[in-house]
Amino acid sequence: MPHQRLLDSNPEGADIDGVHTDINNQLLAPVLLASYMPADFKGIVLNTTIRPVNNFINATSNTLPTRILELIKPDTVSTEAGRAKYKHYQQLGYELTHFKV
């Protein structure tokens, strides 16, 4: 799957590691790997951390994910972290759907 990594040194997302942008400065890869979300991001987020996605969003960045996907491992620690994230998203008013895989 085409992807690119945003460098951690620039949370605004201007520095791209090894992948080019088009003439409108749009990223060419459909998947971004990062420890933050770039300004004005409007895509789907796959969160692999124990923190809720909202903890990564700067209040002034205009970032609004269209969908947040959380993968929860079936161990006790991950399950508890997943429940905490679920409650956090619920308090923020997100529409939540749970799929047991």
Side-chain angles (χ1 to χ4, degrees):
M1 179 168 291
H3 65 279
Q4 65 191 82
R5 185 173 64 96
L6 299 182
L7 298 178
D8 292 340
S9 63
N10 188 353
E12 287 76 38
D15 291 338
I16 306 300
D17 183 23
V19 179
H20 301 285
T21 57
D22 66 14
I23 59 173
N24 296 317
N25 206 27
Q26 297 294 313
L27 302 174
L28 296 179
V31 175
L32 303 178
L33 305 175
S35 59
Y36 63 90
M37 282 189 263
D40 299 321
F41 178 77
K42 304 283 189 256
I44 297 172
V45 175
L46 174 59
N47 186 15
T48 60
T49 73
I50 62 171
R51 299 180 299 165
V53 167
N54 297 76
N55 292 355
F56 309 142
I57 300 173
N58 182 333
T60 61
S61 71
N62 293 326
T63 297
L64 185 62
T66 57
R67 183 175 236 179
I68 299 171
L69 305 174
E70 298 277 353
L71 299 178
I72 310 299
K73 293 187 284 185
D75 62 72
T76 305
V77 173
S78 298
T79 300
E80 289 302 316
R83 288 182 180 139
K85 287 192 285 187
Y86 189 94
K87 288 177 186 175
H88 179 81
Y89 294 136
Q90 193 173 42
Q91 290 172 349
L92 292 172
Y94 284 97
E95 181 182 331
L96 302 173
T97 305
H98 175 262
F99 297 99
K100 188 169 184 174
V101 183

